[in-house]
Structure formats: structure tokens, C-alpha cells
Amino acid sequence: MSDKFAATIARLSTVDGTFHQHLDALLDWEGVSDKAVQARVEEILADVKQRGDSAVVEATNRFDRLSVESMEQLRLTPEQLKKAFDGLSTEQRDALSAAAERIKRYHERQKPSSWQYEEADGTVLGQKVTPLDRAGIYVPGGKASYPSSVLMNAIPAHVAGVREIVMVVPTPDGVLNDLVLAAAHLAGVDYVFTIGGAQAVAALAYGTESVPRVDKIVGPGNIYVATAKRAVFGQVGIDMIAGPSEIMVVSDGQTDPDWLAMDLFSQAEHDEDAQAILVSWNAAHLDDVEASIERLLPTLERENIARASLQRRGALVLCQDQAEAIALINRIAPEHLELSVDTPSGWLEDIRHAGAIFMGRHTSEALGDYCAGPNHVLPTSGTARFSSPLGVYDFQKRSSIIHCSPEGASELGKIASVLARGESLTAHARSAEYRINN
Ligand SMILES: NC(=O)c1ccc[n+]([C@@H]2O[C@H](COP(=O)([O-])OP(=O)(O)OC[C@H]3O[C@@H](n4cnc5c(N)ncnc54)[C@H](O)[C@@H]3O)[C@@H](O)[C@H]2O)c1
Ligand SMILES: N[C@H](CO)Cc1c[nH]c[nH+]1
Ligand SMILES: [Zn+2]
């Protein structure tokens, strides 16, 4: 039987004995990765570390179906980026600029400042915030092109004050996307290399003859990118593991089923591994949404991807009530949560884990993907339990400041001396004791 005739999306009910088992299986994206992916990524990383540019060129030719001879052919010049920007239609240029402006305005609010305070004896303590010297931004490009991700990665880096931004973006079959190039120009990216996957992560992490080594790699990507980022962490910083897109919608049964079906498709169309889940306590409403899904799915340009995603990882979940819906939200910790209910603000306090929360029937997740202002690079696969949206803070680090007055050093010296001797670290103790005024 072809996929077209199989059930498009699973129907689950929280009262079923197998519900939790079924949900766990649906949520398990790491299950999509396997030993073969891990082995391939390790091989690519080691090769790029050892052979630099030549390894990157070979891997790019192999995985993106190119036939270039050198890294020079995989680098875009500032002139190419500007030309792409100048060549956009007015409508596209205005939309890109409006999105960039809104993203910038939102992220300006995240800018932390250095701070310090003085104690009574004149000792000064504080924290100094410093931007990264060089950030690497990964812009996905395998199954779709993401000019919006260029803005979402590069603008917070700029707001943070990063000195140099190196962007990588794969161009399978050599197809360049003008909006991606234009966005890189608009967002002030310093270097662009048309490379992707584990080889791009390796080039950024280790540096090659052509690709400058960066201090931190940010941005979403597929399983090869995620596996490579995890492997190079420590050598460089990473933001988070942002994998296939996810949406969880909770509906009170009053939202147009066609709207909800399209909201689910909006993330399902990213990737066969993307995840779209709708939860409601109204069974008839779930039937209506399922009917909308069946009717609207064939109208999508990316029907095959969306259908595969819904079949593999989608679900319409019948729950008992609002309290159970909230428990499911906190368990799933979705990347995107749409609260398609009358008074979403009443839910907010109880929601503990979600990358971004879209409040009310009119706030479709797609608005957040492009132009609302908050970042669309968000923790996926339940990692919203401990990670946050990409932000200005990801492009900065903090140093502690300690400036003791003579009196302060003397008082602290007495405490430090006792504790150091307790640890049998006598050089520490004597160093502190030299500063004690008797
Ligand atoms: N969380 C977010 O903020 C966010 C934003 C945009 C996109 N996304 C997600 O990012 C993902 C992007 O994935 P993508 O595949 O479209 O692009 P991608 O750029 O992440 O991956 C493409 C690269 O993967 C490598 N690759 C593909 N098959 C390979 C193989 N068999 N062996 C070795 N390497 C291989 C190739 O080098 C290719 O260049 C999607 O899942 C999408 O949902 C997430
Ligand atoms: N939904 C993606 C993040 O999961 C971001 C995106 C970019 N373009 C469209 N959508
Ligand atoms: Zn999206």
C-alpha cells in the first residue's frame, strides 16, 4: 500500500493504556539518529581536522552533489551578496528589511550590561560582559532555503557586538538562493561559505586554510549538523541542539479546523522528521481537524514531506481537560506551542517548558518564524526543559571582576587562609596571609 492511502496522522487518547508508550516513541528524535550517522560524522570531522579545505571540498562535492575544485569556489564575496540584495524585487526587499528591523528591535532589549558594586571597605566586585570575537552561524539549506534563519542568527550576533560573523550554508546541486545572499548582506555577515552538514561544522570548529576558526557555532540543522555540533562542543561553544522543527497546538475546539491543519503543516513541511501535534479535549473538533488535514494536504507544494512528517511523527491527541493539556505541554516541552484558546494569558503561569509560546487563535507560529521579532532558533526535542531561544546572550560571555582594597584584602585573607589550610593548600593560604594587616 502506498503512503498516500495509509492513515495520515495518528489519533491518540490519554485514557488509552498504551498512550505514554506511544507518545514516547513519537517524541524520540534521537531515535532518528543511529550508529551509521554517528560514524559518518566522526569520519568527516576527523578528515576536515586533518586535511582542511581539501576534505571540505570533497565532502561538499559528495553530499551536496557539486563538482568544485577548491574552496575559492565555495566562498561568496561581499559583492555577490550586495548584488543579490540590489536585485530583489521591492516587495522582497521591503519584507526582508521589515523583518530585520523587528528582529533587531526585539533583540536590543536582551542586551545585558556589565555591572559592579562597591563594598564599605572600598572593595569592588562586578561582572564584565564581552562579545565573542568570532561567531559561526549555520544556516540550513538541505531541504529548504532559510533567509529568515540568516537574520535570526546574524542580527543577535551583531547586537551583541561580535567582531566577525562567519556564515555557512549548503547549496545542494549548486543552487544559490538570492534571498539568503541578500539577507547575509543586510545582516552584515563578514564571510559566507556555501558548505553544510558535518563538514561545515568541522571547518568552523577547527578552522581550515580558508575558513576562519570560530569561538562558537550557532544555528539549527539536520541530524548530521546536530551530531557534529555535539561532537565539537568543548573545542568551540555551541548554542543548543536545534533539530527538526516542531509544533504543538492546544485547541479549545473553537478555532477554524482549516487554520489548525495549516498550522500543523507549517512545521511538517520543513522535514520528514518534523513534528506536529494537536491536543484538544473536544473529540468532534479533532475529527474536523483530521478532515481538514485530508482535504488540504494535497493542496501543498511540499505535500510529500508534510505527509511523511505527519505519518511518522504527527498526532491528534484527545485529552480530558485543560489541566491534562498543560501536563502534556510540560512533558513534551515543545519548540513551538500555539495556545489556540480564548484566554491564553490564563495558561501562561502553568507553562514551564516551551521554546516559544504563541498566544491566541490569531497568532500563527509562522509569524514567529519570519517577522514577529523573537528568535526562531529554538530548542527542540524536549530540550526547552533546559535551553532557551537563541539570543544576544549566546554571543557574549561574562568575566568576574574582583578589585580588593587593602582593608578588603586583609579581611578576606583571614577567611581564605582558614579555608585554604582546611584544604591543605598552603600556598593559597600564605598568598592570602601576606595581605593581612595585623
Ligand atoms: N530549530 C530551528 O530554529 C530551525 C530553523 C530552520 C530549520 N530547522 C530545521 O533544520 C533542519 C534543516 O535540515 P536540512 O536537511 O534541510 O538542511 P541542513 O543544512 O541542516 O543539512 C544539509 C546538509 O546535510 C548533509 N547531509 C545530508 N545527507 C547526508 C548524508 N547522507 N551523509 C552526510 N551528510 C549529509 C549535507 O552536507 C547537506 O549539506 C530541518 O529539520 C528543519 O526543520 C530548524
Ligand atoms: N520553523 C523554523 C524553526 O523551527 C524556522 C523557519 C524558517 N523559515 C520557516 N520556518
Ligand atoms: Zn517554520
Side-chain angles (χ1 to χ4, degrees):
M1 190 162 73
S2 97
D3 274 359
K4 287 234 170 200
F5 299 101
T8 304
I9 188 160
R11 291 287 296 260
L12 306 182
S13 167
T14 54
V15 295
D16 284 350
T18 54
F19 172 72
H20 291 286
Q21 202 182 331
H22 210 131
L23 185 64
D24 282 346
L26 274 180
L27 296 179
D28 185 18
W29 179 57
E30 296 301 328
V32 174
S33 181
D34 58 19
K35 287 211 172 80
V37 171
Q38 189 74 35
R40 175 165 285 171
V41 166
E42 277 169 21
E43 197 182 304
I44 295 170
L45 294 178
D47 200 25
V48 173
K49 192 172 190 178
Q50 200 185 350
R51 297 195 302 122
D53 280 352
S54 334
V56 176
V57 166
E58 275 173 34
T60 303
N61 285 339
R62 180 172 170 201
F63 298 119
D64 290 337
R65 301 170 299 279
L66 303 188
S67 46
V68 299
E69 277 160 15
S70 73
M71 275 303 288
E72 208 36 50
Q73 293 168 270
L74 296 173
R75 174 157 177 199
L76 298 176
T77 62
E79 294 72 33
Q80 280 172 289
L81 306 184
K82 180 167 185 319
K83 193 166 163 217
F85 183 78
D86 292 341
L88 293 182
S89 66
T90 310
E91 189 187 34
Q92 285 185 320
R93 207 169 30 239
D94 289 351
L96 202 60
S97 305
E101 201 42 54
R102 291 185 62 88
I103 295 164
K104 183 164 175 242
R105 201 185 315 153
Y106 179 87
H107 287 83
E108 292 278 5
R109 297 226 172 203
Q110 291 180 341
K111 223 172 158 179
S113 336
S114 300
W115 52 266
Q116 58 181 46
Y117 63 92
E118 188 173 337
E119 297 189 320
D121 60 16
T123 292
V124 174
L125 302 172
Q127 194 170 70
K128 178 181 182 301
V129 178
T130 312
L132 302 180
D133 285 343
R134 195 183 280 142
I137 64 176
Y138 189 93
V139 175
K143 293 177 184 156
S145 292
Y146 291 104
S148 53
S149 298
V150 178
L151 302 182
M152 295 289 179
N153 278 286
I155 291 174
H158 258 298
V159 171
V162 171
R163 290 185 175 168
E164 231 170 39
I165 302 174
V166 185
M167 171 175 140
V168 291
V169 56
T171 54
D173 301 306
V175 179
L176 290 174
N177 178 295
D178 278 341
L179 267 170
V180 167
L181 273 55
H185 169 77
L186 183 64
V189 170
D190 297 289
Y191 298 89
V192 180
F193 296 94
T194 54
I195 57 178
Q199 57 276 17
V201 173
L204 291 171
Y206 308 133
T208 70
E209 301 91 312
S210 308
V211 182
R213 177 182 159 180
V214 303
D215 300 302
K216 187 163 182 175
I217 302 172
V218 304
N222 66 10
I223 191 67
Y224 295 94
V225 175
T227 308
K229 274 175 74 178
R230 192 172 278 142
V232 298
F233 175 62
Q235 183 99 24
V236 283
I238 63 167
D239 51 345
M240 67 184 101
I241 301 298
S245 305
E246 303 161 1
I247 184 168
M248 175 175 183
V249 184
V250 176
S251 171
D252 59 8
Q254 303 304 311
T255 307
D256 184 332
D258 282 4
W259 289 19
L260 296 175
M262 204 52 75
D263 293 356
L264 299 175
F265 296 159
S266 77
Q267 297 311 288
E269 75 171 347
H270 275 289
D271 192 325
E272 292 88 346
D273 292 332
Q275 181 149 68
I277 294 177
L278 170 66
V279 174
S280 179
W281 47 89
N282 181 331
H285 178 62
L286 291 179
D287 291 343
D288 292 343
V289 176
E290 188 171 4
S292 294
I293 288 175
E294 297 298 352
R295 184 168 44 80
L296 292 173
L297 196 48
T299 69
L300 298 183
E301 270 77 18
R302 294 165 70 88
E303 177 191 351
N304 289 343
I305 294 181
R307 186 181 289 279
S309 152
L310 294 178
Q311 282 178 339
R312 282 188 202 176
R313 303 197 68 216
L316 302 179
V317 179
L318 180 65
C319 68
Q320 298 303 296
D321 50 24
Q322 175 172 339
E324 203 177 26
I326 288 171
L328 280 172
I329 292 168
N330 288 330
R331 158 132 183 244
I332 293 173
E335 178 192 20
H336 304 107
L337 170 66
E338 265 187 29
L339 293 176
S340 212
V341 298
D342 258 349
T343 45
S345 46
W347 290 55
L348 213 46
E349 195 177 329
D350 293 325
I351 293 170
R352 301 179 48 73
H353 309 302
I357 305 170
F358 295 79
M359 312 267 292
R361 301 181 209 296
H362 288 273
T363 318
S364 76
E365 189 276 345
L367 302 180
D369 277 351
Y370 295 104
C371 54
N375 211 288
H376 81 200
V377 181
L378 297 163
T380 59
S381 311
T383 58
R385 286 176 295 113
F386 52 82
S387 292
S388 310
L390 185 69
V392 171
Y393 35 78
D394 284 299
F395 295 97
Q396 296 176 324
K397 64 210 177 52
R398 291 157 291 277
S399 305
S400 303
I401 303 294
I402 308 162
H403 184 177
C404 289
S405 65
E407 295 72 24
S410 178
E411 284 312 302
L412 292 181
K414 292 173 195 162
I415 301 170
S417 162
V418 174
L419 296 178
R421 288 187 185 282
E423 290 182 353
S424 302
L425 295 176
T426 49
H428 287 66
R430 290 172 63 188
S431 163
E433 286 157 7
Y434 275 142
R435 273 99 174 163
I436 296 175
N437 305 320
N438 289 310

